[in-house]
Structures are given as C-alpha cells and as structure tokens.
Amino acid sequence: MSKSQDTKAKLAQALKNLMLEMPFDKISVTRICDEAQVHRKTFYYHFKDKYDLVNWIYDSEVAKFSLIDAGSQDPEAGLHYIQAICHYLYDNRAFYHKALQIEGQNSFLDHFYSLTRPIVRERLAQLMGNSQIDDFTTDFFTDAIVAALENWLLSKQPMPADEFVHRILSIIHTSAETITALDRKYSDELADLI
C-alpha cells in the first residue's frame, strides 16, 4: 500500500471509529485527524471535507467488487456484483446505518444514488432491452432500490443480504416483464387503431 493510500486508510478508520461513538455532525476534521494521528493539512491534501471521506470509504472498499466478472456479458455477472455489494453493506451496517443518516449537499445517500443508477440502468437493459430504458424508468427503479436499501440498513433487524437481494431482484424481474408485456399490448392496440 502506498503512503497516500495508507494515510487515507488511517483517516477512514478514524472516522469509522468516531462514527460508532458519536453523531456524524458532531465529528470535526480536527477530531478525525487527532484520532488518525495525522496533521489537519494532510487531511485536506487527500479530502475536501468529511463527507468526501465517507464517500471515499465506500468507493475504495467497494472497488474490489468491480472486478467480479469484469467485462462479462453474462447477466449473472451483474447479479454477483449486486450480491457482493449487499453483503458488504450488511457486514458493515453499523457504519452505513450512520452514513445513511448524514444530511446535506454531499451526503452519502446522494453519492450512493449516483453510483447505483448506472447499475440499475444496465440491469434493466438486460431484462427489458435497451430501447425501453429511458430516464424515467431508470429513476423510478433507482429511487425504489435506494429507498429499499436505506430502509433495510436503517432497520433494527435487517434481513440477511441474500434474502434482501432475492426480494429486490424478484420485484425488478417481475416488474420488467409486466412493463414489457404492457408495452407490447398497448403497441399492438395502437397499431390496430392506425
């Protein structure tokens, strides 16, 4: 690990430790630096603010999952990726329970949404075909999935990750089939009218 990565990892661990003890809004950059035993200037060399650090924690820890079946055209590859992320979130739910409650312009939830949207779009394209995926459909399913993930991780007793993934994918699959069937039906009815 490079010195820069090592410093970021120290700051990340410091923030994780502090978030287990106190609300995020009570944690200052100075406190994070004291916990990590690094200078404040060092923090700002690596991160814009503490929100950026929270997002980096997710990005850096989830990056290893992007290698799962990378480049594969197999729809199952996407499923493995989703399962890996959900297991990671479940295993680190104490941290993400707090991270999801962060409010503000650079909140983790906003960051998570922006990363989840392209994954949802790709999965829908596999299920429904690219021509039927527009921004409205993508946003609809992304909103639903992110809200479900948020509710899942914020619940007192979240169901196991495999059960959560199975339920979400079952709903997406059934919805995609229904939307596709309805689209065909209305297209056929419209063609009959013309």
Side-chain angles (χ1 to χ4, degrees), residues 87-115:
H87 276 278
Y88 162 77
L89 291 169
Y90 183 81
D91 293 343
N92 294 278
R93 64 189 175 276
F95 172 73
Y96 287 104
H97 184 90
K98 300 253 181 144
L100 286 166
Q101 296 177 53
I102 297 169
E103 296 179 350
Q105 185 175 0
N106 299 318
S107 71
F108 172 71
L109 190 58
D110 289 345
H111 181 70
F112 184 72
Y113 184 94
S114 71
L115 296 174

Side-chain angles (χ1 to χ4, degrees), residues 20 24 33 37 58 63 81 88 90-91 94 105 112 135-136 139 141 151 162 173 175 182 191:
L20 294 176
F24 181 78
C33 293
Q37 298 179 344
Y58 178 80
Y81 180 72
Y88 162 77
Y90 183 81
D91 293 343
Q105 185 175 0
F112 184 72
D135 287 340
F136 179 83
D139 291 340
F141 281 101
N151 290 334
D162 285 334
H173 186 75
S175 298
L182 286 172

